[in-house]
Amino acid sequence: MKNKLLTITLILLVTITLVGVLALVVLLKFNEDETKEPTIDEVIEASVDVPELTTNLLSGDYIKISFKVQTDGKKTKEELEKRDFQVKNIIIEELSELKSDELQGKEGKQQLETTIKDKANSLMQEGKVERVYITSYIIQ
């Protein structure tokens, strides 16, 4: 009786262990696919160019700047292309509140990119903006 109980217990423990290991392998495999970075072709395919804008800064200087906005997919790109006038408005409003010295250096540019990304995401109904890149920049 004790041998039979011990055998059943061991079989159950081995079965539970095997199921746990199998579940772990499956989860890690699916998680690996989700964290895969997009290829450059996928990034370009899901990106929108914002043509060069010229506007005044708070400091009285003016800036010529253009962007590339990376989205999370084709549908998001299509929506963002339709909202281009709203994105341009966001960019002009943000730039009009900045002084030229606030845009000097890496931190100032990264802050502008982050602000534009966050405000553009607040507009989006489907998908999201992944990243905003400054593609040209001149302050005079």
Side-chain angles (χ1 to χ4, degrees), residues 69-71 76 80 117 120-121 124 127-132:
V69 181
Q70 178 186 345
T71 66
T76 309
L80 192 65
K117 177 184 121 180
N121 275 328
M124 302 302 290
K128 68 176 188 167
V129 171
E130 293 286 328
R131 177 118 191 251
V132 175

Side-chain angles (χ1 to χ4, degrees), residues 5-21:
L5 185 61
L6 182 62
T7 304
I8 292 173
T9 305
L10 283 174
I11 290 172
L12 282 174
L13 283 173
V14 169
T15 304
I16 291 171
T17 303
L18 287 174
V19 169
V21 168

Side-chain angles (χ1 to χ4, degrees), residues 1-36:
M1 182 79 169
K2 281 191 173 187
N3 273 345
K4 190 175 184 181
L5 185 61
L6 182 62
T7 304
I8 292 173
T9 305
L10 283 174
I11 290 172
L12 282 174
L13 283 173
V14 169
T15 304
I16 291 171
T17 303
L18 287 174
V19 169
V21 168
L22 182 62
L24 183 64
V25 168
V26 168
L27 284 175
L28 289 176
K29 186 66 176 171
F30 282 120
N31 196 19
E32 181 181 293
D33 292 340
E34 290 176 9
T35 59
K36 185 179 175 186

